[in-house]
Amino acid sequence: MALRHDQGIVLRGYPFGEADRVVVLLSPNHGKLRAVAKGIRKTKSRFGGRLEPFTHVDLLLYEGRNLDTITQVSVVEPFPHLRLDLDRVVAAGTMVEAIDAVAQEGEASHRLFLLLQRGLRALEAGPAQADLVSAFLLKLAEVLGLAPALVACAECGSTSDIHRFSLASGGVVCTRCSPDRGVKLRDGLTDYLAALASADLGKLPPDSSEFSGEAMGITRRFVEYHLERRLESLSVFDG
Ligand SMILES: [Zn+2]
């Protein structure tokens, strides 16, 4: 059997057979990667906690016919602090869930990998906040080629009277194009969304603004609409 190296951020895992687990990772070189960790569910597993979600690991793999088997794991970046409070775990879970929904197996995904790494680093360094998750999802949409129009009407390109957001049109729309389509945006919200879309994830202002809740609502609906699936972990931000 051939051995090969790979690396990735652990997205999730699921039980496999009696004592094994399939670990799902995002590899920059191979996209979504599934590999078997043998014996990991035994009390004295040699893998310890190194294959928990969010951990960036370096792997030595035996290539199998269907699934590769993990023979060695070393931790590249453990992200210990983001696991310390539930809000950060939930925010990291949302990032991982969204990445899991869009990553393809066997397809290089450097931009997705870097985005997830930046998102987790921002959570490692500071508190969970709605703006960080919103900015992450807007950047994810951009990587996927689905970035919403936020500075000009998605239909005609006009930059005036853009006061509504239409999921179907793909962003803000002017009153001339769509007088009654989509949701009405409060003054300032369009600019706020545009600022989030271009923000550095590691340098967001610490305090959430009055627009944070609405920005999250619109971003979430937009991403769910275009991915055609709900992001379950985001429901904790409801209410
Ligand atoms: Zn228009």
Side-chain angles (χ1 to χ4, degrees), residues 159-212:
T159 52
S160 56
D161 291 330
I162 41 177
H163 300 305
R164 304 187 83 86
F165 190 97
S166 162
L167 296 176
S169 299
V172 292
V173 283
C174 74
T175 32
R176 205 153 33 99
C177 288
S178 303
D180 50 11
R181 193 191 293 178
V183 292
K184 180 96 173 68
L185 299 177
R186 204 146 59 92
D187 277 354
L189 184 53
T190 308
D191 290 342
Y192 194 75
L193 284 166
L196 283 179
S198 60
D200 180 337
L201 291 182
K203 291 180 185 158
L204 288 169
D207 293 310
S208 292
S209 94
E210 52 163 334
F211 291 118
S212 297

Side-chain angles (χ1 to χ4, degrees), residues 46-220:
R46 64 204 168 89
F47 296 116
R50 284 173 289 165
L51 290 168
E52 291 297 311
F54 319 136
T55 314
H56 180 187
V57 289
D58 194 74
L59 302 170
L60 188 60
L61 298 160
Y62 265 129
E63 290 185 346
R65 213 168 358 158
N66 297 313
L67 284 168
D68 295 347
T69 299
I70 300 169
T71 65
Q72 279 177 36
V73 185
S74 54
V75 173
V76 178
E77 203 166 355
F79 299 110
H81 297 108
L82 73 77
R83 299 161 203 275
L84 293 179
D85 67 89
L86 187 60
D87 288 347
R88 284 199 271 182
V89 170
V90 167
T94 302
M95 292 176 183
V96 157
E97 184 186 352
I99 293 282
D100 196 9
V102 301
Q104 304 291 317
E105 298 193 21
E107 209 171 85
S109 50
H110 294 272
R111 292 185 70 201
L112 279 184
F113 182 87
L114 289 174
L115 175 62
L116 181 57
Q117 190 179 44
R118 282 194 199 108
L120 294 177
R121 281 179 178 166
L123 278 174
E124 178 70 7
Q129 44 175 334
D131 282 352
L132 175 57
V133 177
S134 301
F136 177 89
L137 292 175
L138 288 167
K139 288 171 188 299
L140 178 64
E142 195 206 331
V143 170
L144 299 173
L146 297 168
L150 294 171
V151 292
C153 171
E155 299 284 349
C156 73
S158 164
T159 52
S160 56
D161 291 330
I162 41 177
H163 300 305
R164 304 187 83 86
F165 190 97
S166 162
L167 296 176
S169 299
V172 292
V173 283
C174 74
T175 32
R176 205 153 33 99
C177 288
S178 303
D180 50 11
R181 193 191 293 178
V183 292
K184 180 96 173 68
L185 299 177
R186 204 146 59 92
D187 277 354
L189 184 53
T190 308
D191 290 342
Y192 194 75
L193 284 166
L196 283 179
S198 60
D200 180 337
L201 291 182
K203 291 180 185 158
L204 288 169
D207 293 310
S208 292
S209 94
E210 52 163 334
F211 291 118
S212 297
E214 286 156 279
M216 162 66 84
I218 285 178
T219 302
R220 174 188 178 175

Side-chain angles (χ1 to χ4, degrees), residues 4 14 40 48 68 122-123 185 230:
R4 70 178 179 92
Y14 52 89
I40 194 173
D68 295 347
L123 278 174
L185 299 177
R230 280 178 51 76

